Amino acid sequence: MAQIKLIFVFLLYGKTFLVVNSVSNITPESITPCEDTDSVSLTTKGEGESKAWTGSVNVPFEIDPNTEFTMDFRWYKNDELEKNGKILKGKACYYIQKFAENIWKQIKKAANPPIDGECTVKSGKYEFVDFVPQLNNMFIPIGGTGKANAKITMTKDGKTFCAVVIADLNLRTNFEKCDIKGWTCNNSVEVAGKHDLTFRCNTTLTTQDVQIWLWQFASPATITSLTIENCERVELAFGCSAENKPIQWLKLRNIGTVDFLSVPLIHNPPMIIIQNVTNIETIRRDTFLQMKKTLYKPGCFIPITDLHSIVLKDVNIGRIETEAFKNITDMKKFEMENVKINRVEYGAIRLSFEPDVVGLVKNSNIGVMEPLAFQLVGDGFSMLNTKIDNMWGSSLNGTIYDFEFSNNSVSMIQAGAIALLAKNVYMNNNLFRDIESGAFRKISPGLLHDSQRNFGTLYFSYDFKNNLIEHVEDGGIRPDIEAYKNVATHINYTENVLQCSCEAVSWLGAEVDLGFGYSVLKDFNTMILDPSNKNTCNFNPCMCFGVRSPYKRSSATALVF
Ligand SMILES: *[C@@H]1O[C@H](CO)[C@@H](O)[C@H](O)[C@H]1NC(C)=O
Ligand SMILES: *[C@@H]1O[C@H](CO)[C@@H](O)[C@H](O)[C@H]1NC(C)=O
Ligand SMILES: *[C@@H]1O[C@H](CO)[C@@H](O)[C@H](O)[C@H]1NC(C)=O
Ligand SMILES: *[C@@H]1O[C@H](CO)[C@@H](O)[C@H](O)[C@H]1NC(C)=O
Ligand SMILES: *[C@@H]1O[C@H](CO)[C@@H](O)[C@H](O)[C@H]1NC(C)=O
Ligand SMILES: *[C@@H]1O[C@H](CO)[C@@H](O)[C@H](O)[C@H]1NC(C)=O
Ligand SMILES: *[C@@H]1O[C@H](CO)[C@@H](O)[C@H](O)[C@H]1NC(C)=O
């Protein structure tokens, strides 16, 4: 059994795991010899904490303080072993003494013959009968969760000891004291007498997996913020607790992978900043929400200040699920900068802002925006310098006083994609590759704070300038012109380049009965064609009228209201 524990010890304490201190829950599943060796022969009885081990361990050479080991550590992902292991090398003895004294004592006693040396194991066969290792409350310097496979090899004098350990690991990073084991505490910038805590994974490590339960790790009562940085993988759980922990903001910085764990009752800190994260596979439903709005919260401390700010910068995200940002109100800040998102699902981001706050998405890259991907209510929202592959109907929805959509490049914008009530609309310097019929038709004049403003003297504005349009279906480039006609509006429709025939786009001279509203349409078309507005048409008929986009499901007829 010495070897069993040695193996656990190696599994858990590579040379590289020195800095992080974690509390663990380890459930060993099996320990088997490598092919062509007879190093271990163990069977188990029982489950979980009472699992008992019986059998023998063959040590072919004396293990002494200088014996080195190699460990190939791999997580199981979807029941398959990771392709590339993490290779760790180190001296066995050192790790036993430093981290596993307690369990090592148990092993030495349980072995037959018993092991006497502090850290020397003579060669020979050690027997174990119904040995139940006490693995709880082990402090171990590694984080991570899941099923793991570790192959441990020791070689000496041409002889090899080799075994494979499979175990479930559930490890949490824990705070002990400032200035040790990766934690530093600085005086808070914001609150006198309080502390900003930073947990820094040792950047020389290759195997730093950290799991933090924000409201459940031991921390000083003076904590105001937590920063986690320079880690390979961080699993974060916002599960609520009964503790009143005054964390005002959480920052995740310079991290390979971040995974927000699903927990029953979420408590977000007021401000969350995520910066330079290579991969967030999924932001799941209910990741960001305001705790006070959840109905059932026994055992949770109800915060005075709820979540109000989210900043994402230099982050790659696979998918944002429905209700991932769940109807967050009174937001003080919402910013996405240089964020790449493959898919924003139906109803994923629903926010309303405090007065004067401008939500911002810039320099970003979004694949698909499903219907109601963004539902926004507030004084301002800007989407700038962003590349979007496909905007589905109503993918940008809400009521925004100042809406700015500039310097973007959109491959496909479907019917009704931007469905907004706005006082001021600025859409400048965009590239639209394919515009479906009615893409902008749900942009209407509207107000958030009607009661406070006087409609009589109020001007709405719609500024559509300097856009390049490659393909457009009939009626694709108009906002809700009937509604604009009914209120005082400044419309600027200038310096756009349409790589198609303007006649086709706007049906000047089309031999159809235009019916009710024709004069409004005519005014709009006249405005586009007015030479003083400097819109350019390339007279390329096949680029527009009559040509359906490949994304279009039905063969709708020309949209003429
Ligand atoms: C703590 O403060 C010191 C001195 O101002 C600074 O050098 C250090 O980077 C800070 N540590 C963290 C983790 O912010
Ligand atoms: C990182 O770990 C290495 C190896 O254990 C150690 O020598 C180094 O001092 C550590 N660096 C920091 C910043 O903790
Ligand atoms: C971003 O994080 C990675 C680690 O994930 C780090 O190697 C890199 O230096 C960080 N970049 C910046 C600009 O801090
Ligand atoms: C969103 O939150 C507001 C304010 O708490 C509430 O009035 C509204 O019903 C919520 N909407 C949805 C769809 O949950
Ligand atoms: C989108 O926003 C508008 C204006 O706020 C609203 O009337 C409409 O119901 C919303 N939903 C859809 C699906 O367009
Ligand atoms: C759009 O891009 C131009 C040229 O790169 C730049 O001058 C302008 O400030 C940008 N506008 C916005 C709103 O970012
Ligand atoms: C229309 O464009 C002109 C010239 O660029 C500008 O001065 C004016 O403010 C614009 N009007 C609106 C309503 O944006």
Side-chain angles (χ1 to χ4, degrees):
M1 193 63 202
Q3 266 31 67
I4 295 180
K5 223 38 245 171
L6 270 183
I7 287 162
F8 280 133
V9 165
F10 299 164
L11 169 66
L12 302 168
Y13 314 119
K15 180 189 225 152
T16 51
F17 294 144
L18 277 175
V19 178
V20 188
N21 193 36
S22 308
V23 178
S24 67
N25 194 346
I26 307 157
T27 314
E29 191 180 297
S30 68
I31 301 170
T32 49
C34 301
E35 281 168 43
D36 307 325
T37 73
D38 59 351
S39 44
V40 293
S41 164
L42 290 163
T43 57
T44 63
K45 221 166 46 189
E47 280 305 320
E49 284 174 17
S50 58
K51 190 179 250 180
W53 300 74
T54 298
S56 62
V57 175
N58 278 318
V59 181
F61 46 78
E62 182 174 284
I63 297 172
D64 65 31
N66 288 320
T67 308
E68 299 216 351
F69 71 94
T70 303
M71 177 168 81
D72 179 344
F73 180 93
R74 298 173 197 222
W75 292 104
Y76 284 93
K77 298 260 155 78
N78 304 321
D79 287 333
E80 304 228 352
L81 267 189
E82 282 180 307
K83 285 222 168 53
N84 298 310
K86 294 161 183 169
I87 307 294
L88 309 170
K89 289 178 196 291
K91 290 195 175 162
C93 231
Y94 176 76
Y95 297 100
I96 295 174
Q97 287 178 331
K98 196 157 175 96
F99 300 109
E101 262 202 292
N102 183 30
I103 186 73
W104 179 232
K105 276 184 197 146
Q106 296 173 40
I107 293 165
K108 289 204 291 188
K109 232 167 100 184
N112 180 20
I115 299 163
D116 308 321
E118 224 1 81
C119 198
T120 302
V121 183
K122 296 212 170 66
S123 68
K125 188 170 188 169
Y126 295 86
E127 303 278 352
F128 295 86
V129 179
D130 286 339
F131 174 51
V132 182
Q134 300 298 309
L135 293 164
N136 47 345
N137 294 325
M138 266 177 84
F139 280 82
I140 55 170
I142 168 187
T145 288
K147 188 167 158 182
N149 177 304
K151 180 175 173 181
I152 293 115
T153 312
M154 282 187 272
T155 306
K156 193 176 169 188
D157 306 333
K159 290 178 193 151
T160 298
F161 173 90
C162 179
V164 174
V165 180
I166 296 175
D168 276 324
L169 304 182
N170 183 349
L171 314 174
R172 295 181 188 181
T173 298
N174 216 30
F175 175 85
E176 250 179 57
K177 228 169 124 185
C178 298
D179 301 318
I180 60 165
K181 296 179 177 166
W183 294 92
T184 49
C185 310
N186 270 8
N187 288 335
S188 163
V189 189
E190 283 133 9
V191 195
K194 303 276 171 148
H195 292 99
D196 291 327
L197 257 67
T198 298
F199 176 75
R200 188 175 286 162
C201 294
N202 186 331
T203 48
T204 64
L205 304 189
T206 54
T207 50
Q208 277 293 1
D209 292 338
V210 172
Q211 186 179 82
I212 291 193
W213 288 65
L214 189 65
W215 308 105
Q216 272 134 318
F217 78 101
S219 63
T222 56
I223 184 172
T224 48
S225 77
L226 174 64
T227 301
I228 304 168
E229 61 186 23
N230 304 351
C231 301
E232 201 175 87
R233 180 184 172 87
V234 172
E235 291 183 349
L236 201 66
F238 290 123
C240 78
S241 81
E243 196 187 338
N244 175 7
K245 195 182 282 196
I247 296 178
Q248 292 305 302
W249 46 267
L250 167 74
K251 187 186 274 187
L252 305 172
R253 186 162 63 186
N254 305 343
I255 293 173
T257 301
V258 170
D259 191 4
F260 299 102
L261 301 176
S262 291
V263 293
L265 283 159
I266 301 262
H267 174 190
N268 291 119
M271 186 189 293
I272 298 175
I273 302 154
I274 303 177
Q275 200 180 331
N276 186 25
V277 171
T278 314
N279 177 37
I280 299 177
E281 202 172 300
T282 309
I283 299 186
R284 294 186 186 86
R285 181 186 279 269
D286 289 347
T287 297
F288 300 116
L289 52 74
Q290 285 166 324
M291 184 176 201
K292 284 181 186 165
K293 284 198 207 150
T294 52
L295 294 175
Y296 185 73
K297 44 207 161 203
C300 298
F301 175 78
I302 311 300
I304 296 151
T305 314
D306 235 327
L307 172 64
H308 58 62
S309 298
I310 299 175
V311 177
L312 300 169
K313 192 161 181 247
D314 307 323
V315 178
N316 294 322
I317 301 168
R319 213 153 46 92
I320 303 185
E321 285 186 359
T322 298
E323 293 199 324
F325 295 69
K326 189 175 186 173
N327 191 17
I328 308 171
T329 53
D330 303 313
M331 291 221 51
K332 294 183 199 299
K333 198 169 192 175
F334 175 76
E335 287 181 11
M336 286 190 173
E337 187 180 342
N338 192 26
V339 173
K340 184 173 183 308
I341 311 168
N342 291 341
R343 195 173 190 97
V344 186
E345 289 185 356
Y346 175 86
I349 302 175
R350 185 184 184 117
L351 311 170
S352 75
F353 304 116
E354 275 197 340
D356 299 325
V357 171
V358 178
L360 178 65
V361 174
K362 74 172 182 184
N363 305 342
S364 290
N365 192 323
I366 305 178
V368 173
M369 284 168 61
E370 292 187 7
L372 305 177
F374 287 84
Q375 282 171 283
L376 308 165
V377 174
D379 280 351
F381 181 73
S382 300
M383 186 168 270
L384 309 174
N385 201 29
T386 289
K387 186 178 168 304
I388 306 170
D389 290 343
N390 196 339
M391 294 178 75
W392 295 15
S394 278
S395 51
L396 235 172
N397 181 277
T399 306
I400 295 290
Y401 195 82
D402 288 310
F403 174 67
E404 186 176 16
F405 191 90
S406 296
N407 288 0
N408 301 301
S409 155
V410 185
S411 299
M412 177 69 196
I413 177 159
Q414 301 191 20
I418 303 181
L420 283 178
L421 293 174
K423 177 169 179 295
N424 303 310
V425 174
Y426 310 90
M427 299 183 78
N428 302 323
N429 308 312
N430 300 292
L431 164 65
F432 294 107
R433 290 194 186 281
D434 277 295
I435 301 182
E436 265 193 9
S437 182
F440 304 128
R441 216 179 157 233
K442 288 191 180 168
I443 302 180
S444 309
L447 282 180
L448 190 54
H449 318 286
D450 329 58
S451 52
Q452 295 151 29
R453 304 187 201 212
N454 183 347
F455 246 70
T457 59
L458 188 78
Y459 268 92
F460 291 87
S461 74
Y462 186 86
D463 195 13
F464 193 89
K465 191 161 72 183
N466 204 21
N467 298 291
L468 172 63
I469 292 160
E470 290 188 351
H471 301 71
V472 57
E473 289 183 357
D474 11 320
I477 56 171
R478 308 193 301 258
D480 182 0
I481 49 176
E482 296 145 292
Y484 277 111
K485 191 75 185 174
N486 290 330
V487 295
T489 310
H490 292 300
I491 291 195
N492 266 4
Y493 216 100
T494 55
E495 295 170 55
N496 300 292
V497 176
L498 297 124
Q499 297 195 332
C500 50
S501 149
C502 289
E503 282 85 347
V505 168
S506 50
W507 312 282
L508 281 187
E511 297 294 321
V512 281
D513 176 11
L514 295 170
F516 173 77
Y518 174 63
S519 72
V520 180
L521 176 58
K522 191 160 178 248
D523 290 350
F524 184 74
N525 294 335
T526 305
M527 180 189 67
I528 293 178
L529 290 176
D530 183 339
S532 69
N533 284 331
K534 299 185 190 149
N535 295 303
T536 312
C537 304
N538 285 348
F539 300 102
N540 185 353
C542 69
M543 300 297 267
C544 41
F545 190 66
V547 179
R548 318 299 319 188
S549 84
Y551 302 97
K552 189 88 180 173
R553 288 156 303 270
S554 65
S555 58
T557 50
L559 184 99
V560 180
F561 49 82

